[in-house]
Amino acid sequence: QVQLVESGGGLVQPGKSLRLSCATSRFIFSTYHMGWYRQSPGKERELVAYISYSGDTTNYADSVKGRFTISRDNAKKAVYLQMDSLKPEDTAVYYCNTRPPETLGWVYWGQGTQVIVSS
């Protein structure tokens, strides 16, 4: 089955940085657009960053624009999210997936990685 394994989260103070990684397997990664999503308690899962299959195009939610940078390494079948100037409102569980998430014919979510931004 498709594997999406997120890592790199943790507890950080406001203004600090984290770099999230997503390791994928069992699909032709380089063919698909990818995204980072997040979900906070009591809120719906939302797309925060998008990257095209080649890495040529990126888009960001307004709430993270200018602070987060998405990238990918197709040789490693991995996607990354550099998170700078973190704010308490960035606290969430972060997930990677295709964009849209049903691109592979079904919706699969990995375990996610938790980011907590607090002083």
Side-chain angles (χ1 to χ4, degrees):
Q1 64 182 22
V2 171
Q3 289 190 305
L4 302 165
V5 182
E6 300 91 346
S7 63
L11 172 64
V12 298
Q13 294 182 328
K16 299 298 184 180
S17 298
L18 284 173
R19 183 173 174 85
L20 308 184
S21 297
C22 173
T24 74
S25 63
R26 303 197 185 192
F27 71 101
I28 307 174
F29 175 82
S30 63
T31 303
Y32 299 102
H33 308 319
M34 297 293 294
W36 281 97
Y37 305 76
R38 69 184 181 188
Q39 186 170 31
S40 301
K43 298 181 66 177
E44 296 293 319
R45 200 190 320 260
E46 63 174 339
L47 176 71
V48 298
Y50 157 88
I51 188 166
S52 63
Y53 77 96
S54 65
D56 290 340
T57 302
T58 59
N59 286 289
Y60 301 90
D62 287 343
S63 59
V64 307
K65 195 172 299 181
R67 300 187 297 116
F68 290 9
T69 303
I70 188 171
S71 61
R72 67 191 295 161
D73 185 335
N74 286 348
K76 296 181 178 179
K77 303 182 69 174
V79 60
Y80 309 97
L81 187 67
Q82 178 67 40
M83 308 165 68
D84 298 322
S85 302
L86 283 162
K87 302 176 179 179
E89 51 263 45
D90 296 319
T91 296
V93 178
Y94 285 72
Y95 304 86
C96 65
N97 213 329
T98 56
R99 177 62 181 167
E102 65 269 23
T103 294
L104 299 177
W106 69 98
V107 178
Y108 171 82
W109 298 99
Q111 65 179 2
T113 185
Q114 187 169 55
V115 172
I116 301 174
V117 185
S118 177
S119 60

